[in-house]
Amino acid sequence: LEAPYKLLVWVALKLGHHSIAITRIAAGLAAIASAILFYFIVYSLFSRRIAIFATILFVTSSGFLHVSHLGTPLALQLFGVLALLALIPGYLLLKGKLLPVYVSVITIAALLYIPGLLWFVLFGIIILNKRIVSTLRQMTVKHQVLICLIFTVLVAPLIWAYISNPSLLLTSLGLS
């Protein structure tokens, strides 16, 4: 679990940096990405001025500062929720294209590795059920198979982890 965060820390360790600051840098990078996603979401709904002021308020909030400076994978949960929200305007801007579908599948598969976000993904799938089904029906069989293959390859290690260590499922659900 927490694969995106641990991947950033692992890469930094392999590059030769052996400091506790690496965990804070990884959380800081997730926080920066969260701020960029927040700006994109607000800008897609409102004007540029409102997006700038809202992002400044978001970045200077105590919760954001705490999560970004803590140096734990909690920054990924904030990023994950914003990534799910950013999929909607991106999907609407490129309606009828295949790129948003592939990006959505890859994003959702990556977010399943972050504890607690499974609920958000399931909630989004339930709400957007009709749109998902209609989008898949409009695609050719080749793209449907490719999307299923990509999702399966990305989620297979997580499923294997659940099978080999069932207590991880409780962690993934945010229950422990």
Side-chain angles (χ1 to χ4, degrees):
L1 294 176
E2 300 160 351
Y5 177 81
K6 290 180 180 177
L7 182 66
L8 285 173
V9 172
W10 180 80
V11 167
L13 288 174
K14 288 297 179 184
L15 291 175
H17 302 285
H18 299 285
S19 171
I20 194 69
I22 297 302
T23 59
R24 289 191 177 200
I25 290 171
L29 289 174
I32 290 170
S34 298
I36 292 168
L37 280 176
F38 185 82
Y39 175 81
F40 170 70
I41 293 167
V42 176
Y43 182 70
S44 68
L45 298 173
F46 302 103
S47 68
R48 183 177 184 183
R49 180 183 297 177
I50 291 174
I52 290 171
F53 285 123
T55 305
I56 290 170
L57 288 173
F58 175 68
V59 170
T60 58
S61 68
S62 61
F64 180 85
L65 291 173
H66 174 70
V67 166
S68 62
H69 293 307
L70 193 57
T72 63
L74 282 175
L76 285 179
Q77 290 178 341
L78 176 64
F79 174 76
V81 171
L82 290 171
L84 281 173
L85 290 175
L87 289 177
I88 296 169
Y91 179 79
L92 294 176
L93 288 175
L94 299 171
K95 193 173 184 178
K97 308 273 187 197
L98 290 175
L99 179 65
V101 176
Y102 284 104
V103 170
S104 298
V105 167
I106 292 169
T107 303
I108 289 170
L111 293 180
L112 291 177
Y113 284 89
I114 302 171
L117 289 185
L118 178 65
W119 298 112
F120 288 100
V121 171
L122 289 175
F123 185 67
I125 289 172
I126 290 169
I127 288 177
L128 299 173
N129 185 19
K130 290 180 182 178
R131 184 174 291 245
I132 292 169
V133 170
S134 69
T135 302
L136 288 174
R137 284 186 181 158
Q138 293 173 358
M139 297 172 64
T140 63
V141 175
K142 178 180 77 171
H143 289 291
Q144 291 174 351
V145 169
L146 188 59
I147 284 175
C148 290
L149 185 66
I150 290 170
F151 187 76
T152 303
V153 167
L154 291 176
V155 177
L158 185 64
I159 293 171
W160 178 253
Y162 291 155
I163 291 170
S164 62
N165 189 0
S167 66
L168 284 178
L169 186 58
L170 289 175
T171 305
S172 181
L173 292 174
L175 299 176
S176 66

